[in-house]
Amino acid sequence: MKSMLVGLLILFSQTPGVLKTGNPPGNLQAVDTPNDRGESITLKWVLPEDISGIKGYQIFREAEEESLHLAGYAPAGKTEYIDELGVKNNVGYRYQIRSISPEGLVSPFSEPSPMVKAYPQWFKKNLTNSLVMIIIYLGLILYFVQAAKRGKKIFLRRVPGLDALDEAVGRATEMGKPVLYVPGIWPMSEVATIAAMNILKPVAKKVAQYDSRIIVPNIYPIVMNVAQQTVKEAFTEVGKQDSYKEDDIFYLAYEQFAFAAGVNGLMVREKPATNLFLGAFFAESLLLAETGNMTGAIQIAGTDRVPQLPFFVAACDYCIMGEELYAASAYLSADPRLVSSIKAQDWGKMAIVISLALGSALTIFGLWFIISWFTTG
Amino acid sequence: MRRTLPLVIAFGIGFAMLIQYFIPHPISENFYNVIVQQWFIIIFAFQFVLALRSFFMHHIRKISQKKEGYWFSAVAIASALFMAIAGFATKRGPFFDSLYKYMYAPLQATMFSLLAFFIASAAFRAFRARNLQATLLLVTATIVMIGRVPIGDYLWKGMPDLVEWIMTVPNMAAMRGIRIGVGLGAIATAMKIMLGIERSYMGGE
C-alpha cells in the first residue's frame, strides 16, 4: 500500500508541462497537528480564484536534512491536508503546494510555508469541556455523599422492577424452583456488567435467606469468577455458606448465539420460576426473554442497551430501563452514600436539560457560540 | 488489608485510565496499547483455563448424575473436544474451516433466524390495545410498519415522510433521553467504584 502511494506520488511529481489555467493555492499555513501524539503536521491553504481544470494539489516538503520532494496529494476542492508520512518530531519542515490538471500539467509552486516542527502533546485541548464537566460532576457526587453522611434524607422514587425482585425470589422458593440470573454478554470491563454484579449480591442474599437456588450462566470467564465470588460472599454473609454451589455459577459458551442456545436449553429443562436478565444484551435479548415467557417464569430484565429495551418490555413482566440498572445497587442496599450519587445524576440531567433549552433558544436567535462549548472537534 | 488493596488498585487503575483518555502523548498511548491490553490478554488467558475447567466439570457432573437432558452435556463435551482436536491436528486447515463453515455457522444462523418468529409472538402480545399507552404503541407501530414498505407510499404519498418524522423526532427524542441518563449513570457508577463508595462487586456493602 505504501509502495503504491509512493509510486503514485512519483508519477505525479514527474508530470511535465505547466498548467495554463489556475494558479497555485495561496496563503499556505503549516502547523503542528493539535491534540495528537506528534509526528503529524496539518497544512491549510486558500483555493486559487480559478479552479477550473484542477484535478488536485501536490504537496511538497523539505526539511533540515531533506531536499524538496513530493510528500502528499489532496484532491480538488480540499483546503486541508494532514502530513503523517515519515514526519519526525522536533524536525523543522517547510512546505510548498501546486495545482495539477487531469492531463498532468502543473501550476507554479506556492509561496513556501513557515518552518514548522511536530511535537507530541500532553493534553487534548479539544476535550477541555469534557474534563471540566467530569470535575463538576465528580464535585456534585462528593457533595451529595458528604450530605448523606451528615444525615440528609434523599427521596428515591419507586422502581417497580426492583421492588418486584423480592416477590420474584419468594415465588421461586414457594415453587421449589431455581432463580436464573444472566449478567449479560459483555466483559467485566463494561459498566453494565459491573452493575449486574452489584445487583447479583442482594439477589443472591435473598436466595440464600430463602434457602432457594440461583443459577448464573456466564459467557466470559472473568465475569464467571466475579459472579462466583459475589454469590459465595452473599451466602456466607447470611450464614448459608454450605448451601453455596459453585457448579451453579458456571461458564456456558463464548459465542453469542451458542450462549443464547445454552441459556434457552437451561430454561426449558430446569424451568426456573424467576428469570433475571440484567446487564448488556444484544440480539439474543428477545431469544432469551421469549423462551422464558414460554416457560411461564416471572421475568425481570434490565439493560442500558436502548435498542433492546422494546424487546424486554414486550416479553418480560418488569423492565429496568437504562440508568435504573446503575441505580439498582443503591436502591436495593438503601445505603445513603450510594443513594446520594443518584441525586448527583439528577442534577447532571437538570444541567443538560437547561443547556439544551438555552442552546435551542440561543441558536434560534443566531447565537451559535454555545454549541462550541459542547463539541469536542 | 483484604478490602484496602482492591480499593487502592481500583482507584489507581481507574484514575490512570481516566487521565490516559485526556493525554495523546505516546507514553500515554503505550500505557494503554501495550501495558493495559497485554495485561488484559494475560489475565484473560489464565481465566480461560478456569472457564474450561468449569465447562467440563459442569457437564461431567450432569452426565455422572444422569440429570435431565444429560446427553446434551455429552454432545457439548464431544463437540468441544472434536473442534479442539480438529483445530490442533489440521493446524486450522480446510477441515477445521469446513467444520466452522458447514456446522457452526448454520447453527448460529438458525438461532438468529428464530428471532423472526419470536418478534412476531412478542409483537402480538405487546400490540394488544389494553390501555391508552398500548393503543398508542399499536397505532404508531402500525403506521411505521406500513410506511416502511412500498404499500405505504401507494396508499398515501405522505406516509414515508410521516414515518421518517416519527423515527427522527419523537422516537429519537425518547432514545436520546434514555441515553443521556445511561451516560450519566455509567460515569457515576465508574466514579463510585474508583472512590470506593460502591463495593458490592467485591463482596462488601
Side-chain angles (χ1 to χ4, degrees):
Chain A
M1 185 66 192
K2 218 173 203 176
S3 59
M4 265 179 70
L5 194 66
V6 171
L8 207 64
L9 295 177
I10 291 167
L11 185 75
F12 281 128
S13 66
Q14 289 176 344
T15 47
V18 175
L19 184 63
K20 298 276 165 44
T21 57
N23 295 313
N27 194 23
L28 179 63
Q29 297 292 321
V31 291
D32 175 25
T33 304
N35 310 313
D36 74 339
R37 65 190 306 280
E39 298 172 349
S40 170
I41 288 168
T42 300
L43 303 170
K44 284 183 182 173
W45 58 85
V46 176
L47 293 177
E49 279 181 17
D50 183 7
I51 55 167
S52 60
I54 292 176
K55 183 190 170 189
Y57 307 103
Q58 290 180 325
I59 292 138
F60 285 77
R61 182 176 84 198
E62 68 175 328
E64 287 153 358
E65 292 176 2
E66 264 181 44
S67 58
L68 191 70
H69 66 281
L70 189 64
Y73 174 79
K78 291 275 178 191
T79 56
E80 189 177 308
Y81 178 80
I82 297 172
D83 184 17
E84 293 175 317
L85 210 66
V87 175
K88 290 174 187 163
N89 288 333
N90 301 318
V91 174
Y93 292 99
R94 185 176 283 125
Y95 289 85
Q96 282 182 285
I97 186 167
R98 70 183 182 188
S99 308
I100 183 166
S101 76
E103 298 81 30
L105 303 175
V106 292
S107 72
F109 278 113
S110 67
E111 287 294 313
S113 71
M115 192 69 94
V116 63
K117 288 181 180 180
Y119 296 103
Q121 269 89 52
W122 283 100
F123 179 65
K124 288 181 186 169
K125 286 180 187 162
N126 57 329
L127 295 181
T128 307
N129 49 8
S130 301
L131 184 64
V132 169
M133 283 176 197
I134 284 175
I135 290 168
I136 293 171
Y137 193 41
L138 180 64
L140 275 173
I141 291 173
L142 291 174
Y143 168 76
F144 283 108
V145 167
Q146 288 304 318
K149 275 184 183 172
R150 288 195 300 269
K152 188 181 176 185
K153 291 209 168 175
I154 290 166
F155 168 75
L156 211 57
R157 71 172 169 84
R158 308 307 301 169
V159 181
L162 296 174
D163 287 338
L165 276 172
D166 245 344
E167 175 201 336
V169 176
R171 181 176 182 262
T173 312
E174 281 171 17
M175 294 174 74
K177 288 179 175 177
V179 173
L180 177 71
Y181 190 103
V182 185
I185 65 157
W186 260 15
M188 204 58 230
S189 52
E190 296 302 324
V191 184
T193 312
I194 294 172
M197 289 299 121
N198 288 341
I199 306 170
L200 177 60
K201 180 84 183 288
V203 169
K205 252 184 170 175
K206 282 192 177 75
V207 168
Q209 278 164 352
Y210 292 152
D211 252 336
S212 194
R213 183 182 162 212
I214 186 166
I215 301 172
V216 189
N218 293 282
I219 194 166
Y220 277 99
I222 297 175
V223 179
M224 178 194 78
N225 273 300
V226 176
Q228 282 177 341
Q229 286 305 312
T230 306
V231 175
K232 191 177 180 181
E233 190 93 19
F235 273 66
T236 309
E237 274 179 28
V238 293
K240 297 280 178 68
Q241 54 268 45
D242 295 339
S243 307
Y244 168 71
K245 289 180 192 162
E246 193 180 281
D247 192 40
D248 282 340
I249 298 106
F250 57 94
Y251 175 78
L252 190 59
Y254 187 66
E255 291 285 338
Q256 180 187 23
F257 289 112
F259 179 76
V263 176
N264 282 358
L266 203 68
M267 283 193 269
V268 171
R269 284 192 302 276
E270 300 272 357
K271 294 207 167 42
T274 302
N275 294 336
L276 304 173
F277 306 115
L278 300 162
F281 291 90
F282 298 86
E284 74 292 341
S285 61
L286 192 62
L287 292 174
L288 301 176
E290 266 301 284
T291 309
N293 194 291
M294 284 175 203
T295 61
I298 183 170
Q299 302 202 103
I300 301 173
T303 186
D304 58 353
R305 307 286 103 188
V306 181
Q308 306 307 322
L309 285 172
F311 298 130
F312 279 146
V313 170
C316 296
D317 299 281
Y318 296 96
C319 189
I320 298 164
M321 286 190 193
E323 64 182 311
E324 288 175 351
L325 181 70
Y326 303 130
S329 171
Y331 188 91
L332 294 171
S333 69
D335 179 344
R337 292 184 314 154
L338 292 175
V339 172
S340 61
S341 70
I342 297 171
K343 194 77 179 169
Q345 279 173 245
D346 284 348
W347 276 82
K349 271 188 279 185
M350 182 64 79
I352 288 172
V353 168
I354 291 169
S355 305
L356 282 171
L358 194 67
S360 304
L362 290 175
T363 47
I364 285 170
F365 293 106
L367 300 166
W368 297 88
F369 68 91
I370 194 163
I371 292 174
S372 66
W373 294 1
F374 296 94
T375 50
T376 54
Chain B
M1 191 62 187
R2 193 172 159 257
R3 288 264 188 273
T4 312
L5 190 62
L7 284 175
V8 170
I9 292 171
F11 177 79
I13 297 291
F15 190 70
M17 293 302 287
L18 180 67
I19 294 289
Q20 183 274 334
Y21 178 71
F22 291 98
I23 301 174
H25 198 279
I27 293 172
S28 165
E29 271 193 359
N30 288 346
F31 167 74
Y32 183 75
N33 294 334
V34 179
I35 299 174
V36 175
Q37 298 281 22
Q38 282 188 4
W39 274 7
F40 185 77
I41 290 167
I42 292 165
I43 291 170
F44 190 84
F46 276 102
Q47 292 285 327
F48 216 81
V49 175
L50 293 175
L52 284 176
R53 178 184 162 271
S54 167
F55 174 83
F56 283 110
M57 292 304 288
H58 178 75
H59 289 294
I60 288 168
R61 204 166 289 143
K62 262 183 153 180
I63 295 166
S64 62
Q65 291 173 357
K66 289 222 163 55
K67 280 188 176 175
E68 188 194 349
Y70 70 91
W71 61 275
F72 288 118
S73 293
V75 172
I77 288 177
S79 307
L81 288 175
F82 188 65
M83 285 295 277
I85 292 165
F88 282 118
T90 65
K91 292 180 182 167
R92 299 182 73 180
F95 177 67
F96 181 78
D97 286 346
S98 300
L99 284 175
Y100 195 88
K101 201 171 166 185
Y102 299 115
M103 290 191 74
Y104 190 73
L107 284 169
Q108 271 199 319
T110 306
M111 279 305 291
F112 194 47
S113 58
L114 280 175
L115 259 182
F117 303 101
F118 283 166
I119 284 176
S121 62
F124 178 74
R125 268 201 315 280
F127 293 167
R128 271 181 297 186
R130 288 162 298 187
N131 50 39
L132 179 66
Q133 285 96 330
T135 312
L136 276 173
L137 182 68
L138 170 67
V139 173
T140 315
T142 309
I143 292 170
V144 171
M145 283 191 287
I146 293 174
R148 288 283 193 204
V149 289
I151 198 170
D153 185 49
Y154 177 77
L155 290 171
W156 177 46
K157 287 282 171 209
M159 188 71 95
D161 291 335
L162 175 64
V163 169
E164 197 57 28
W165 181 83
I166 290 172
M167 295 307 287
T168 54
V169 181
N171 179 62
M172 187 62 80
M175 282 177 74
R176 282 187 180 158
I178 297 173
R179 282 199 173 123
I180 288 170
V182 166
L184 289 169
I187 296 170
T189 305
M191 284 178 177
K192 280 187 284 183
I193 290 169
M194 270 172 61
L195 298 172
I197 300 167
E198 174 72 83
R199 301 174 185 193
S200 328
Y201 70 97
M202 58 172 205
E205 287 296 346

